[in-house]
Amino acid sequence: MLHLRISSPAAQTDRVLALLESDTSVSALSVVRRASLRPPGDLVLADVAREGANVVIDGLRDLGVHQGGSLHVEHVTTWLSKDGYEAERRTPGSSADSVVWADVTQRAYEDSELNWTYGSFMTLATLIATIAIVLDSQILVIGAMVLGPEFGAVAALGVALVRRRTTLLRRATVTLVAGFAAAIALTTLFALAAKALGWITLGDVTGPRPGTDFIYFPDKWSFIVAVIAGAAGVLSVTSARTGGLSGVFISVTTVPAAGNIALGLAFGVGHEVWGSTLQLALNLSGMALAGWATLAVQQAVWARMSAKRVRMLGRLRHRGSKQPG
């Protein structure tokens, strides 16, 4: 169930109410006249089944609610309502499977922003990955994978392609490239300092590392795992089930590969740099392609369901207009 809070200009409120009243996925509807000071107008509150949210939100956008007022979409974690239960039953689809595109798109913009927090997490994760490689510690590698923030930007690439958002595509690409470049550069400086202090030797980089040598030895499985993890990650982001993201983070070797690139640069070991760069490219491309394909399938499925609902609502409105007043 989703809760909509709409600040509507007074001249627009009646059209907003008419749209919400006619939609069978809306289970509760309230209006407080003259409650909104900015913009001057009314406050409209509505509960809508998640499965029908896209049609409702698109209808409100067509009315221009977001231009003259505002629309807030809030996830309701716990609710008790017979009308809400009936609204979910008569709305096609499953709540857990439904995709609220406005929510997904906004999250993509937020997760792909290149800011201090993103850069800090990326750098810290890469530093931990570098230490993990030196110590040949799989536990530290997993910690670095979980800490890395890059999947949000990778998922944003798929959202940008499916929703045709050029600005988002450019933003996510810049964030990925700049984030990894900055993290690798800073980690290389750390590795050079550790080398000068004698904390890390060439043998630590080129010697046997049975626990972490997979980082710079990419193969077909690297790409396959990235594709599977990318699809699972996007499903977690778009559905109501977010528990799968942790599994995605510890399945792909992006941050550890970046850490090994930094070590290879600091010690001038070309094959380490090349192998890790290929591993990084395979993982990022595999996740991006899987994310795009998963979102494209979801969009096609829900577009058909939304079109079916629009036709059904049109028939209901037509029958209602024929009834004597």
Side-chain angles (χ1 to χ4, degrees):
M1 184 65 66
L2 299 177
H3 180 68
L4 306 183
R5 181 162 58 88
I6 305 164
S7 295
S8 171
Q12 200 174 44
T13 301
D14 288 341
R15 284 180 292 164
V16 170
L17 292 174
L19 184 148
L20 295 173
E21 284 179 321
S22 65
D23 197 297
T24 57
S25 67
V26 177
S27 61
L29 180 60
S30 307
V31 59
V32 185
R33 299 287 182 178
R34 297 184 295 278
S36 177
L37 300 179
R38 184 181 301 172
D42 309 314
L43 178 64
V44 180
L45 306 172
D47 292 337
V48 57
R50 181 183 172 96
E51 302 93 308
N54 287 319
V55 173
V56 173
I57 293 172
D58 289 344
L60 293 171
R61 285 176 59 90
D62 291 341
L63 291 178
V65 168
H66 61 298
Q67 296 177 346
S70 64
L71 168 61
H72 293 251
V73 181
E74 302 171 3
H75 295 267
V76 181
T77 55
T78 306
W79 54 274
L80 297 173
S81 170
K82 181 180 178 181
D83 288 340
Y85 174 72
E86 293 297 331
E88 284 201 332
R89 285 190 61 187
R90 61 177 172 257
T91 305
S94 167
S95 175
D97 295 335
S98 58
V99 181
V100 183
W101 289 109
D103 183 35
V104 172
T105 303
Q106 179 169 341
R107 184 171 178 178
Y109 274 100
E110 292 174 353
D111 290 347
S112 61
E113 181 181 3
L114 182 59
N115 50 36
W116 173 259
T117 301
Y118 181 93
S120 297
F121 273 106
M122 181 66 77
T123 301
L124 293 172
T126 307
L127 286 170
I128 291 177
T130 298
I131 296 172
I133 293 166
V134 172
L135 299 178
D136 196 30
S137 170
Q138 292 184 345
I139 294 177
L140 286 180
V141 168
I142 292 173
M145 290 176 174
V146 174
L147 189 60
E150 75 281 2
F151 183 75
V154 174
L157 292 175
V159 175
L161 292 172
V162 171
R163 304 300 287 176
R164 299 179 182 179
R165 302 295 181 93
T166 306
T167 301
L168 178 59
L169 180 64
R170 182 169 55 251
R171 177 187 179 124
T173 303
V174 169
T175 296
L176 278 174
V177 174
F180 273 110
I184 291 171
L186 291 173
T187 305
T188 301
L189 293 177
F190 166 80
L192 288 171
K195 176 184 177 182
L197 292 171
W199 295 352
I200 304 176
T201 65
L202 181 62
D204 295 325
V205 181
T206 59
R209 294 191 339 234
T212 57
D213 60 1
F214 65 92
I215 292 172
Y216 60 96
F217 282 129
D219 54 20
K220 59 180 180 296
W221 295 111
S222 300
F223 185 78
I224 293 171
V225 169
V227 168
I228 296 172
V234 167
L235 285 175
S236 296
V237 169
T238 58
S239 71
R241 305 172 188 258
T242 58
L245 283 176
S246 297
V248 175
F249 297 152
I250 60 177
S251 298
V252 291
T253 337
T254 49
V255 168
N260 206 49
I261 291 172
L263 276 176
L265 290 173
F267 284 86
V269 184
H271 72 274
E272 297 270 354
V273 174
W274 167 246
S276 300
T277 301
L278 183 58
Q279 180 75 274
L280 180 60
L282 282 174
N283 277 275
L284 290 177
S285 60
M287 286 193 295
L289 287 172
W292 165 78
T294 303
L295 287 166
V297 170
Q298 288 180 300
Q299 178 170 256
V301 170
W302 282 100
R304 292 195 194 96
M305 299 188 72
S306 296
K308 181 180 178 181
R309 289 201 65 244
V310 169
R311 290 194 297 270
M312 180 184 70
L313 290 172
R315 288 194 295 268
L316 291 175
R317 290 167 187 164
H318 182 67
R319 291 173 187 172
S321 64
K322 285 186 174 183
Q323 294 179 356

